[in-house]
Amino acid sequence: MLHIETGKENTILRTVCNPIRKDEWKQYVKLGKEMIDYIKNPDNAGVGLAAPQIGTTKRIIVVSLLRSWEDENFSTIMMLNTEDLEVSTETTCDIEEGCLSLPKTKKGFVIRHKDIKLRYFDEKMQEKILKFSGLASVIIQHEIDHLNGILYIDKLMK
C-alpha cells in the first residue's frame, strides 16, 4: 500500500527528481503499476500521482488522460523520465487544482500552458512523443511540477 507524503514543507516534495537508470527500470515500472492502481481506486479521488508524493525521488508520474471531469472513457498511463519538449504560448487558468499531498489546502487556479508536447518512456522503455491539451495537459503539468519540486500552491493565482 502506498503512503502519500504530505505537507508543503516536506523535503521530498521539494526535491528535483532524478532520471530512472536502465538498471532500475523494472523496479520503477513495478512502482508505477502500484501508482496506477492507487489512482484508479475511486476512494483515493486522484487523477495523477508523482513519485515524490510517495517518497521516491525518481522521474515517474501516472496520469489520467481526462478530456473533461465528466469523461468516463479515459486511460491512466505511466510516464517515465518525462520531459517537456514544447509548450504553447497560449495559457489557461480555468481548472481548479488540488493535490493529494496537500489534503487540507484550499484548491485554486494556476496558469498552465494550454498545450504541451512531451517526451517520455513507457514501461517497455519505448520512447513516446505526444501532444496534450485541455484537462489532460493541466494534470500532466501539475505532476511534472512535482518532479521538479514545485507544488501548485507555489503558482496559485492571487
Side-chain angles (χ1 to χ4, degrees), residues 47 64-69 71-72 74-75 133-137 139:
V47 294
S64 294
L65 301 177
L66 297 164
R67 290 181 290 278
S68 72
W69 291 117
D71 186 0
E72 294 181 8
F74 61 90
S75 298
S133 60
L135 181 55
S137 173
I139 294 167

Side-chain angles (χ1 to χ4, degrees), residues 69-140:
W69 291 117
E70 292 77 33
D71 186 0
E72 294 181 8
N73 299 308
F74 61 90
S75 298
T76 300
I77 65 170
M78 178 187 329
M79 297 178 165
L80 305 151
N81 291 347
T82 307
E83 62 179 289
D84 293 341
L85 294 178
E86 294 174 20
V87 294
S88 65
T89 55
E90 191 175 353
T91 59
T92 184
C93 185
D94 59 353
I95 297 172
E96 192 173 44
E97 295 184 34
C99 185
L100 295 171
S101 291
L102 302 169
K104 296 178 183 172
T105 303
K106 185 179 177 184
K107 292 181 179 184
F109 296 92
V110 175
I111 296 173
R112 299 285 186 191
H113 300 283
K114 197 162 193 168
D115 304 299
I116 58 170
K117 184 177 179 181
L118 303 174
R119 172 183 305 152
Y120 69 93
F121 293 84
D122 67 13
E123 63 188 73
K124 295 177 181 147
M125 277 195 205
Q126 298 298 308
E127 181 183 53
K128 305 284 185 181
I129 296 176
L130 296 173
K131 186 175 181 180
F132 299 93
S133 60
L135 181 55
S137 173
V138 170
I139 294 167
I140 291 167

Side-chain angles (χ1 to χ4, degrees), residues 38-60:
Y38 185 90
I39 288 302
K40 285 186 170 183
N41 181 339
D43 293 338
N44 296 326
V47 294
L49 190 63
Q53 293 181 271
I54 57 167
T56 301
T57 56
K58 290 293 184 175
R59 297 192 73 79
I60 179 171

